[in-house]
Amino acid sequence: MSTAEETTGGEVEPWEQVTPDAARRLLVAAVEAFAERGYHATTTRDIAGRAGMSPAALYIHYKTKEELLHRISRIGHDKALDILRTAARREGTARERLADAVSSFVRWHAGRRTTARVVQYELDALGPESRAEIVALRRQVDAEVRGIIEDGVAAGEFDVPDVKGTTLAVLSLCIDVARWFDVNGPRTPEQVGELYAGLVLRMVGAR
């Protein structure tokens, strides 16, 4: 199984929504190629070769290389938003919800680091229309975390003079895990998630 399909915990990446099988294989191959070489250095021939298909076969399922990137980015951002939205809307204090949001978000970026690197760091390669769609999703991601922090401030749980700036710092901290996490390193995704949750609670002055 490829790095774009499996996490460090053996959980399969949810590409099942991509059909038929050939389209899914091409998408997984694109994730790996983009993560390894970067979007601009990757050719459609590279992607098709990784999928065990001819370059002409790619165009049956995707009109352009950018369409592949857009599909990957959309699926990844939908998943990221779902993770944060689930944590934000659970029962519990703002402290509990923020810890859950951060630990879950970090686990995803560590466990699915190959996918996450492409999703988070290749945004500028998208065309204006596709980029605007993904930016709108990023705003929703930001809003979920900001909402938890605002709840904590209102309840007297957090001491945050600059909610907007702190939200950006929290998200940046979590997303960067995809850049450096090593499956052979000393910590599991779960351990990194727990560590970062504690760091963020101290960042917001949680009581």
Side-chain angles (χ1 to χ4, degrees):
M1 188 171 288
S2 68
T3 56
E5 292 179 296
E6 184 175 302
T7 72
T8 53
E11 185 179 348
V12 177
E13 183 73 21
W15 300 122
E16 64 271 12
Q17 63 181 277
V18 181
T19 57
D21 178 69
R24 182 167 54 250
R25 283 163 50 203
L26 286 164
L27 184 142
V28 170
V31 170
E32 294 175 348
F34 294 157
E36 180 181 316
R37 306 187 62 183
Y39 175 82
H40 293 293
T42 299
T43 66
T44 53
R45 183 176 294 276
D46 294 332
I47 296 168
R50 285 174 183 259
M53 301 166 68
S54 70
L58 185 148
Y59 295 106
I60 296 173
H61 304 284
Y62 301 98
K63 294 178 181 178
T64 63
K65 184 175 70 168
E66 186 196 335
E67 184 180 333
L68 261 170
L69 178 62
H70 174 249
R71 189 76 187 276
I72 293 163
S73 191
R74 177 69 202 222
I75 292 171
H77 279 88
D78 281 343
K79 180 61 179 177
L81 180 58
D82 180 64
I83 289 169
L84 292 173
R85 186 169 283 162
T86 298
R89 298 181 183 183
R90 58 162 282 195
E91 294 184 1
T93 64
R95 177 192 177 103
E96 291 168 339
R97 289 185 288 128
L98 184 60
D100 186 22
V102 170
S103 61
S104 300
F105 203 46
V106 166
R107 284 198 308 271
W108 187 79
H109 281 83
R112 292 171 170 86
R113 63 205 177 281
T114 303
T115 299
R117 282 201 300 273
V118 177
V119 169
Q120 299 293 1
Y121 295 115
E122 294 288 357
L123 177 65
D124 289 342
L126 292 172
E129 186 175 339
S130 296
R131 190 178 190 280
E133 179 186 328
I134 301 305
V135 167
L137 285 172
R138 289 193 175 205
R139 291 196 184 103
Q140 293 180 59
V141 165
D142 182 277
E144 293 297 339
V145 175
R146 188 173 66 250
I148 301 174
I149 295 175
E150 288 172 344
D151 289 347
V153 172
E157 295 181 51
F158 301 157
D159 180 12
V160 182
D162 183 349
V163 171
K164 183 177 180 180
T166 301
T167 299
L168 176 61
V170 169
L171 287 171
S172 297
L173 188 69
C174 296
I175 288 169
D176 194 56
V177 170
R179 184 183 57 79
W180 62 260
F181 184 80
D182 181 0
V183 64
N184 297 313
R187 289 190 172 95
T188 65
E190 291 74 21
Q191 289 170 330
V192 178
E194 183 178 355
L195 171 65
Y196 275 46
L199 291 172
V200 168
L201 288 178
R202 288 194 288 276
M203 183 187 299
V204 298
R207 297 187 176 90

